[in-house]
Amino acid sequence: MVTDTPVRPRKQVKAQKSRQRTIEIIGVIAFVVLMAVILPLLLSGFRLGLLGRFLSLAIVALGIDLIWGFTGLLSLGHGIFFALGGYAFAMFLQLNSLDEGQIPEFFGLYGVNTLPWFWGPFASLPFTLIAIFTIPAIVAGLLGYLVFRNRIRGVYFSILTQAALVVFFNLFNGQQKWINGTNGLKTSTSVFMGQEVGSDRMQMTFYLFTVVMLVLMYLLCRWLTSGRFGRLLVAIRDDENRVRFSGYDPTGFKVLVFAVSGAIAGIAGALYTVQSGIVSPQFMDIAFSIEMVIWVAVGGRATLVGAVLGALLVNWARALLSESFPEVWLFFQGALFLLVVTALPDGIVGWLRQQAPERLRSLFSKPDALATYPQVELDADGQQERSEISE
């Protein structure tokens, strides 16, 4: 007689996945309504501008979670890709605001009379929109290939990404003649689609576009991590040698996911640049790249939702504390990181998923309730008997 015992668990798993998918869809819709409809009506222009920047930082946090949380590669150099996306869009805005034949004003300060050759393609909007994510992706892919082909991982990978960050920071910082060096490229007074970028109407447009891009990047990361590719990334994180012995080459997968993560950071950098009004080598500051990792750690690694939540909470706390107690923020940030490492290693979302239900059950359970446990005993014939005892 054939039983249906193997079918029943499969149906239960499908039903559970269906419920989770429905909850996730409802959550995404509620997030969009909150960010795009409700908060613009409640917040002032200044607060809404801050929220737009934090949402763009949440995008780069998704890229960090993809490479660190799911693949186990801690990158301390994502400021490179973030800045490259910002510079690409800022160069277009600088050229788009000029009449034909003119060059950005800062070139005249350094005796440059002709537009450098690498600026020319950024006069095209289609080229710029593609370059915003392809240039960071190419740089990340090349860097990843040079590192991963030599099987460098762990702390050595983190050190190399931070070393690359220092190289790019000094390179951009010293190019006064070509990209205005330490002063950066200003975008707030540039013209885009017939309007000044810093105007209220344009800033609202960029804010809404940031909300849309955050949702799209979340869906992209969810798609990459939910199927066979995502399981392979987790396997690389947990035991790369076993993946290699199974016939897969982890190098190609790590290069690909690192390039995707860099592309996501480039998009975030472009959106942050137009909402902050400037892009400079400070985007490649070491502390800024470390902060990106802290956002993901606070929210919860390998959750995606935690990356967004951590970026929004930490940056909003920094804004509030910096306004009232500017000297306290660095101490708070250090204490927050210590709290996550010692008490919440899985982050806020990880704690809510794993430990919070048990804590709630222990709080609301009756201490004097009788618990019945099965016990297996042997009878005289050596057969198993099932009895129950009460405590």
Side-chain angles (χ1 to χ4, degrees):
M1 181 177 179
V2 180
T3 61
D4 59 346
T5 52
V7 178
R8 197 170 296 169
R10 190 179 301 134
K11 289 183 178 180
Q12 293 175 357
V13 169
K14 288 184 178 180
Q16 184 179 4
K17 288 184 177 180
S18 179
R19 287 194 298 269
Q20 291 176 350
R21 190 178 298 111
T22 301
I23 294 174
E24 190 171 16
I25 292 173
I26 294 174
V28 170
I29 294 175
F31 178 82
V32 172
V33 172
L34 175 65
M35 293 296 169
V37 179
I38 299 177
L39 290 182
L41 299 176
L42 300 178
L43 298 179
S44 63
F46 173 73
R47 295 295 179 189
L48 196 64
L50 285 179
L51 181 59
R53 299 178 204 175
F54 301 159
L55 291 173
S56 62
L57 295 177
I59 296 177
V60 72
L62 285 174
I64 294 285
D65 197 17
L66 185 64
I67 189 69
W68 182 34
F70 288 92
T71 319
L73 301 170
L74 177 57
S75 171
L76 298 179
H78 258 56
I80 298 173
F81 320 122
F82 187 82
L84 288 175
Y87 269 100
F89 202 20
M91 290 167 70
F92 164 77
L93 293 175
Q94 290 270 325
L95 297 177
N96 188 63
S97 305
L98 302 174
D99 296 330
E100 187 176 355
Q102 291 184 332
I103 62 175
E105 184 179 357
F106 75 88
F107 281 120
L109 301 176
Y110 308 110
V112 179
N113 299 320
T114 58
L115 191 69
W117 63 270
F118 61 89
W119 275 74
F122 290 97
S124 169
L125 179 59
F127 175 85
T128 302
L129 294 178
I130 296 174
I132 284 173
F133 62 89
T134 54
I135 291 179
I138 291 173
V139 173
L142 291 176
L143 178 62
Y145 176 74
L146 294 175
V147 173
F148 298 138
R149 71 170 184 173
N150 295 315
R151 300 188 181 182
I152 297 175
R153 55 185 178 179
V155 66
Y156 299 102
F157 171 76
S158 302
I159 293 173
L160 284 175
T161 54
Q162 193 170 81
L165 181 69
V166 174
V167 171
F168 273 83
F169 174 81
N170 291 325
L171 176 64
F172 277 67
N173 210 33
Q175 302 304 317
Q176 294 289 141
K177 294 176 59 177
W178 310 124
I179 53 175
N180 208 21
T182 56
N183 299 318
L185 301 177
K186 191 176 180 180
T187 61
S188 57
T189 56
S190 302
V191 177
F192 182 62
M193 299 180 68
Q195 297 185 30
E196 194 173 88
V197 172
S199 64
D200 294 339
R201 184 175 180 181
M202 208 65 204
Q203 287 297 301
M204 176 59 70
T205 301
F206 284 124
Y207 171 80
L208 296 176
F209 188 72
T210 302
V211 174
V212 173
M213 289 305 301
L214 176 58
V215 173
L216 291 178
M217 292 301 103
Y218 174 82
L219 296 177
L220 172 63
C221 293
R222 177 62 68 198
W223 175 68
L224 289 173
T225 57
S226 59
R228 183 177 298 177
F229 183 76
R231 291 193 294 271
L232 184 58
L233 295 181
V234 174
I236 293 173
R237 178 194 68 189
D238 295 339
D239 196 337
E240 183 176 337
N241 290 328
R242 180 172 293 182
V243 173
R244 185 174 287 107
F245 293 151
S246 300
Y248 293 94
D249 183 12
T251 301
F253 295 100
K254 291 194 292 185
V255 170
L256 176 60
V257 73
F258 195 46
V260 172
S261 180
I264 294 174
I267 295 172
L271 293 173
Y272 187 86
T273 294
V274 293
Q275 294 180 90
S276 63
I278 192 172
V279 59
S280 72
Q282 292 302 315
F283 285 9
M284 303 183 198
D285 186 62
I286 294 177
F288 186 47
S289 291
I290 294 177
E291 285 182 18
M292 296 177 184
V293 176
I294 294 177
W295 305 335
V296 179
V298 170
R301 289 194 299 158
T303 60
L304 296 182
V305 175
V308 176
L309 180 63
L312 294 178
L313 288 180
V314 174
N315 283 286
W316 200 263
R318 179 181 62 180
L320 295 179
L321 286 176
S322 298
E323 292 174 3
S324 304
F325 310 99
E327 69 280 356
V328 174
W329 163 245
L330 292 178
F331 295 99
F332 173 79
Q333 180 175 270
L336 181 63
F337 190 68
L338 290 175
L339 175 65
V340 170
V341 172
T342 56
L344 298 174
D346 297 321
I348 296 175
V349 174
W351 182 83
L352 291 175
R353 287 180 177 178
Q354 300 174 10
Q355 301 180 23
E358 297 179 0
R359 294 289 180 88
L360 291 176
R361 281 195 296 267
S362 64
L363 288 176
F364 292 101
S365 62
K366 296 180 180 179
D368 57 343
L370 294 178
T372 302
Y373 301 94
Q375 183 180 19
V376 177
E377 296 180 350
L378 295 179
D379 60 7
D381 298 328
Q383 301 296 324
Q384 289 185 349
E385 288 184 345
R386 192 176 185 87
S387 62
E388 293 182 347
I389 62 173
S390 297
E391 295 181 349

